[in-house]
């Protein structure tokens, strides 16, 4: 509890000194203040761009490659099962069929021979958990 008070008090004092120093510099030498702010902004921008450039290739490359691989696998899997017909004539509207009563419809059975593209991860199914009882 005391550490939080010391930390917040210290931060408040530092912010107060920064505000007083900024006001003093603005009142006495505004040209120097703006040149310092411009130099700080340019330096911060260069550091940000260098950091962004250096971390871009290492972090995203493995994640993106895994994502691209899974998308390609998914497209390959579903392209065989569901070829989507393309309409070339957009002016023609599809002919509407008459609707039958929902009670007369029979649901078609699902084809269970098509396995999903998910895999089962084998775990420690036979091991008993240590319990207090």
């Amino acid at each position: 509890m005391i550490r939080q008070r010391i930390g917040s008090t210290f931060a408040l004092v530092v912010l107060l000194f920064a505000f007083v120093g900024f006001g003093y510099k603005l009142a006495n030498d505004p040209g120097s203040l703006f040149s310092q702010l411009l130099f700080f902004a340019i330096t911060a921008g260069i550091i940000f761009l260098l950091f962004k450039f250096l971390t871009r290739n290492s972090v995203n490359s493995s994640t993106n490659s895994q994502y691209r691989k899974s998308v390609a696998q998914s497209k390959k899997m579903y392209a065989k099962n569901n070829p989507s017909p393309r309409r070339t004539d957009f002016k023609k509207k599809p002919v509407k069929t008459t609707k039958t009563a929902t009670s007369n419809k029979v649901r078609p059975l699902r084809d269970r021979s098509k396995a999903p593209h998910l895999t089962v991860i084998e775990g420690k199914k036979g091991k008993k958990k240590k319990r207090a009882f």
Side-chain angles (χ1 to χ4, degrees):
M1 188 76 170
I2 293 175
R3 284 188 177 179
Q4 289 178 349
R5 286 186 199 164
I6 291 172
S8 62
T9 305
F10 180 72
L12 185 64
V13 168
V14 168
L15 287 175
L16 182 67
F17 280 141
F19 184 71
V20 169
F22 183 78
Y24 177 78
K25 191 77 163 179
L26 182 64
N28 289 337
D29 195 10
S32 173
L33 174 68
F34 291 123
S35 66
Q36 284 179 350
L37 289 176
L38 181 66
F39 178 74
F40 175 73
I42 290 172
T43 305
I46 290 172
I47 290 172
F48 175 75
L49 289 176
L50 282 174
F51 179 75
K52 189 99 169 161
F53 178 73
L54 292 175
T55 58
R56 175 180 51 125
N57 293 336
S58 64
V59 174
N60 293 336
S61 65
S62 64
T63 307
N64 283 342
S65 65
Q66 290 173 353
Y67 175 72
R68 284 189 209 124
K69 189 184 291 186
S70 68
V71 167
Q73 182 183 7
S74 181
K75 283 183 181 179
K76 186 177 177 183
M77 180 73 78
Y78 286 117
K80 293 177 185 175
N81 296 338
N82 300 324
S84 59
R86 291 187 174 183
R87 281 184 54 194
T88 56
D89 189 9
F90 293 107
K91 292 181 181 178
K92 292 182 182 177
K93 293 185 179 178
V95 179
K96 292 184 179 179
T97 59
T98 58
K99 293 184 179 179
T100 59
T102 57
S103 62
N104 294 340
K105 285 188 177 182
V106 177
R107 289 181 58 198
L109 295 175
R110 286 182 18 191
D111 185 14
R112 296 203 183 257
S113 63
K114 295 178 185 176
H117 65 281
L118 305 173
T119 56
V120 176
I121 300 172
E122 296 294 330
K124 299 176 183 176
K125 296 176 183 172
K127 254 190 174 178
K128 298 279 185 178
K129 292 184 179 180
K130 293 182 181 178
R131 297 187 181 176
F133 296 103

